[in-house]
Every structure is written in structure tokens, then in C-alpha cells.
């Protein structure tokens, strides 16, 4: 009778003797953590559709088309360190850079061209042209430099025409580094090279596409997006700008499974992310004979903005709050929420044991002794 009374007591509450083996706390112990340990600033939040929407909105990554824009190609501009070649034509009779002799057969003289040696644009952004002086070229297109040289030679040369060619591009480049076959500096042209062009110029990525994040650094701004998203959405394949740095990042993302699931281990997932429903499926689901379907928990260090928490709740150096999300899979509506609720990197997914499981373990320990005692009592009669 005492044994039965203890068993009934265990089934009627969520607590059980501390010496009883268990994989972790029960559902009741987790839900009541704010009351039992008020000194710990842990938030226990039941996952509803409204909570899921708020979390999704808070962790949504900005798209490249929104942050870096979809600007048209800026065209090539000359910069310090570029090597250029300047050629100048004069109409006959040429008088500044040479002379053209009349053709004895009576045919008109042809224009004379003078090609100047290649020269590197100085740190001040200038090149030197005879009779034109130091011509500022930095930040200008070759066509604008041609027009400037013509303006400076007008009145000195006879109907001058100018051609400026960039022999070696040192400034209008994009740098591609990270998990690519070969890091490279890709020159930009007036065509307007895009993000995937840079990736192709580097020989592609060395890791599976689903596990790569592309990071674009432009000036003092840094933005990242999963490579999968860029491939699927052409709007994210943005036009690159001079000086951009493209970094292919291989960041293995993972979450930890504990408790009454099909497996207890750390599982990796793609850079694109996964939902709670997908995480539970990869865990092998809940163990039917053991799990408490009302006790599915996600342990996470959350951004305060995701739950509209006050700043004083922040407890980590990174400014995050320890949050326990509770999902009740006994409620059919929770399966729809689980299809959208995101699992983050380093989350701990824990499923508590059902109270009946604790009773089974308790009886498994007590009953052998009770039967032994009963057998001894019967033998003494």
C-alpha cells in the first residue's frame, strides 16, 4: 500500500524524488523556474502565432536588394595607381606634335598621331601631357579625360583628337576571399559585374552551396546573406561597386538535441536556416512512450527586441536575454506555428519526460524490493 500511494502521488504532480534518474527537468520544473528561482532573469515564453511572428520579424536578414541597392553600373573611372596610355591626333598641317608634308601626288595630307609612353596615375590623381600640363584624371572616366585634354590643347594643336586607354586597372576592382577556389581581385568594367560573376571569377565555392553565406563589405557597411537565397532570387545578385569585398563564409550552424527525442546529439543545419518542425523531424521525432508533448522547449539567448523586453533584463556581455520557449504539441495549432518558428545556431532543443515515465522508473526501482519483502513474509508464515 505505501508503494502504491507513492506512485499515485508521482502521477498527480510534475515533481519526483531528486534521486530518481532523469535526463533533465520536468515540464513543471521548467515552467515554474521564474517562481522557484526569481534571482535568475530567465524568461519562459509560450510559443503562439503572435510570438512566432515577432521572433521571425526580429531575426529576418535584410536582403542585398534592400541594403546595398540595385544600382546601375557606374562605369569605369580612373584612379591613382592605374596605368594609362594617351594618343593625340592632329589634323594637317600638324604643328604642335609634328608636321605633315604635302603629298607630291597632290593628295591631301593625313592626320598625324602621337602616342605617349604609358604612365601611372600619381597619388594626387594626375597624369602629365606635353603642352597640357598635369591633367587631373582621378574619379573621371576615360571619355571625360579625353575631353579635358582636348580642351587644354585647343588653340595650341590643330584640331586635336585624343584617345585615353587604361592599360592596367589597379583601382576599380572587387576582392573575393574566403571559402573560394582561388582568392582574386576581379576588375570591373562598364558592363557592370554582379555578385555571382565575382564568385565565378574566383572559381566558385569549396563547400556545399547550402552551407555558404556571402558577406559583402562596402565602405563601413557589412551585410551577409545565404548563397542559396542569392541563387534563387536574381534581385539579390547585385551590381558590384569598386572597392567591394566579397567573402564566402563557411559557418557550420548547429543545434543540440536533449531529452525524450529519437536521438540526443548536436545536429548541423544549412545557412538558409530550419524551422522547429524540421528540427524535430531531424531529431527522429518525440519518443511516444516517454515524451511529454506539452514539454517541448527551446533554450536560447535572445535579443531583447525580439520579445519587446526591457533593457535591464539583459544579462550577457552581448546584451542578450536567456529565454525558454515552450511549445505544446498537444495543441494541433502548434504544428502550424512549428512550421515557421526558426531554430537558431547554438539553440538547445529539449523534450521533457512525461510524468508517467517517472512513475514507471520509480516503480521499476521499488517493486523488486517490495516483491522480495512479500516473498520473505509469505515464507515465514
Amino acid at each position: 500500500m505505501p508503494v502504491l500511494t507513492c506512485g499515485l502521488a508521482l502521477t498527480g504532480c510534475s515533481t519526483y524524488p531528486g534521486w530518481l534518474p532523469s535526463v533533465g527537468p520536468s515540464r513543471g520544473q521548467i515552467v515554474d523556474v521564474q517562481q522557484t528561482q526569481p534571482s535568475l532573469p530567465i524568461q519562459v515564453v509560450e510559443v503562439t502565432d503572435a510570438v512566432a511572428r515577432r521572433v521571425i520579424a526580429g531575426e529576418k536578414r535584410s536582403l542585398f536588394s534592400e541594403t546595398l541597392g540595385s544600382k546601375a553600373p557606374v562605369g569605369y573611372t580612373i584612379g591613382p595607381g592605374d596605368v594609362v596610355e594617351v594618343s593625340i591626333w592632329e589634323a594637317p598641317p600638324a604643328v604642335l606634335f609634328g608636321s605633315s608634308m604635302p603629298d607630291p601626288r597632290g593628295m591631301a595630307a593625313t592626320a598625324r598621331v602621337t602616342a605617349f609612353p604609358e604612365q601611372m596615375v600619381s597619388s594626387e590623381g594626375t597624369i602629365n601631357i606635353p603642352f597640357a600640363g598635369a591633367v587631373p584624371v582621378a574619379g573621371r572616366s576615360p571619355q571625360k579625360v579625353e575631353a579635358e585634354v582636348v580642351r587644354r590643347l585647343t588653340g595650341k594643336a590643330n584640331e586635336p583628337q585624343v584617345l585615353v586607354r587604361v592599360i592596367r586597372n589597379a583601382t576599380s576592382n572587387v576582392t573575393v576571399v574566403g571559402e573560394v577556389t582561388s582568392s582574386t581581385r576581379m576588375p570591373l568594367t562598364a558592363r557592370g559585374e554582379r555578385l555571382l560573376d565575382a564568385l565565378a571569377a574566383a572559381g566558385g565555392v569549396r563547400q556545399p552551396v547550402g552551407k555558404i553565406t556571402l558577406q559583402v563589405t562596402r565602405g563601413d557597411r557589412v551585410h551577409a546573406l545565404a548563397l542559396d537565397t542569392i541563387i534563387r532570387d536574381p534581385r539579390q545578385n547585385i551590381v558590384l561597386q569598386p572597392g567591394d569585398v566579397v567573402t564566402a563564409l563557411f559557418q557550420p550552424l548547429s543545434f543540440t538535441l536533449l531529452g525524450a527525442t529519437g536521438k540526443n546529439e548536436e545536429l548541423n543545419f544549412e545557412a538558409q536556416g530550419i524551422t522547429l518542425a524540421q528540427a524535430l523531424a531531424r531529431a527522429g521525432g518525440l519518443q511516444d512512450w516517454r515524451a511529454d508533448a506539452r514539454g517541448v522547449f527551446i533554450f536560447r539567448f535572445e535579443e531583447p527586441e525580439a520579445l519587446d523586453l526591457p533593457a535591464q533584463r539583459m544579462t550577457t556581455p552581448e546584451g542578450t536575454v536567456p529565454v525558454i520557449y515552450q511549445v505544446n504539441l498537444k495543441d494541433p495549432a502548434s504544428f502550424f506555428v512549428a512550421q515557421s518558428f526558426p531554430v537558431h545556431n547554438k539553440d538547445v532543443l529539449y523534450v521533457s519526460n512525461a510524468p508517467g515515465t517517472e512513475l514507471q522508473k520509480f516503480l521499476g526501482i521499488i517493486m523488486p524490493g517490495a516483491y522480495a519483502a512479500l516473498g520473505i513474509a509469505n515464507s515465514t508464515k
Side-chain angles (χ1 to χ4, degrees):
M1 184 63 69
V3 171
L4 182 59
T5 301
C6 291
L8 292 174
L10 280 170
T11 58
C13 64
S14 59
T15 61
Y16 49 88
W19 47 264
L20 198 62
S22 176
V23 296
S26 67
R27 174 174 56 87
Q29 289 175 316
I30 295 176
V31 171
D32 296 337
V33 69
Q34 289 175 307
Q35 285 72 38
T36 59
Q37 302 184 59
S39 60
L40 298 179
I42 299 175
Q43 300 291 311
V44 180
V45 179
E46 183 179 359
V47 176
T48 61
D49 181 66
V51 170
R53 289 176 183 271
R54 194 158 59 237
V55 171
I56 293 170
E59 64 98 35
K60 181 182 178 182
R61 285 186 174 182
S62 297
L63 299 175
F64 284 164
S65 58
E66 299 170 345
T67 56
L68 298 174
S70 53
K71 297 180 180 178
V74 296
Y76 182 79
T77 58
I78 300 173
D82 287 350
V83 176
V84 299
E85 179 189 74
V86 179
S87 299
I88 300 176
W89 282 260
E90 281 188 274
V95 295
L96 186 62
F97 295 104
S99 60
S100 295
M101 300 299 296
D103 194 311
R105 294 171 297 178
M107 301 180 64
T110 59
R112 180 180 178 87
V113 60
T114 301
F116 295 97
E118 299 174 1
Q119 58 180 308
M120 180 179 293
V121 179
S122 69
S123 59
E124 289 79 20
T126 63
I127 59 173
N128 291 304
I129 303 294
F131 304 105
V135 181
V137 299
R140 295 183 174 185
S141 67
Q143 293 75 23
K144 289 185 177 180
V145 174
E146 291 168 0
E148 174 64 17
V149 175
V150 168
R151 186 188 68 79
R152 290 178 175 231
L153 292 178
T154 299
K156 301 177 182 179
N158 187 26
E159 297 181 23
Q161 299 293 315
V162 179
L163 174 65
V164 175
R165 291 196 309 142
V166 177
I167 303 301
R168 186 164 64 250
N169 171 11
T171 56
S172 189
N173 295 288
V174 168
T175 303
V176 188
V177 295
E179 290 294 329
V180 292
T181 302
S182 177
S183 297
T184 185
R185 294 184 69 201
M186 182 187 73
L188 296 179
T189 68
R191 170 179 172 270
E193 283 71 17
R194 294 180 176 270
L195 190 55
L196 294 182
D197 294 330
L199 209 59
V205 295
R206 295 185 296 181
Q207 301 293 338
V209 170
K211 296 184 178 181
I212 290 291
T213 298
L214 283 191
Q215 176 181 286
V216 177
T217 304
R218 179 173 295 173
D220 58 356
R221 294 187 299 166
V222 179
H223 299 280
L225 201 61
L227 179 55
D228 266 351
T229 301
I230 300 168
I231 294 174
R232 291 201 315 267
D233 185 358
R235 294 174 301 171
Q236 311 316 315
N237 188 23
I238 57 171
V239 176
L240 295 169
Q241 305 294 319
D244 282 354
V245 178
V246 179
T247 308
L249 301 173
F250 173 58
Q251 297 176 310
L253 306 177
S254 66
F255 65 97
T256 303
L257 288 164
L258 296 174
T261 59
K263 60 180 73 171
N264 281 189
E265 60 180 300
E266 182 181 8
L267 291 180
N268 295 327
F269 61 93
E270 299 76 19
Q272 189 66 28
I274 62 171
T275 64
L276 175 59
Q278 293 172 313
L280 289 172
R282 296 187 186 188
L286 275 59
Q287 292 184 337
D288 184 58
W289 58 273
R290 175 184 165 199
D292 183 352
R294 296 174 298 172
V296 178
F297 299 95
I298 301 99
F299 291 75
R300 174 184 302 168
F301 287 102
E302 187 65 273
E303 297 295 333
E305 297 80 11
L307 295 173
D308 195 22
L309 295 173
Q312 58 266 28
R313 302 297 303 186
M314 298 186 298
T315 60
T316 68
E318 294 78 19
T320 56
V321 180
V323 176
I324 304 174
Y325 290 105
Q326 180 187 6
V327 181
N328 178 13
L329 292 184
K330 284 287 189 180
D331 180 5
S334 64
F335 284 87
F336 294 102
V337 176
Q339 291 181 55
S340 60
F341 189 83
V343 172
H344 289 180
N345 187 38
K346 305 304 180 185
D347 276 0
V348 175
L349 179 55
Y350 172 73
V351 179
S352 62
N353 286 342
T357 304
E358 310 308 327
L359 173 61
Q360 291 176 354
K361 290 191 290 187
F362 180 76
L363 294 178
I365 295 173
I366 298 298
M367 292 307 294
Y371 284 129
L374 183 61
I376 292 174
N378 291 335
S379 65
T380 57
K381 291 182 179 179

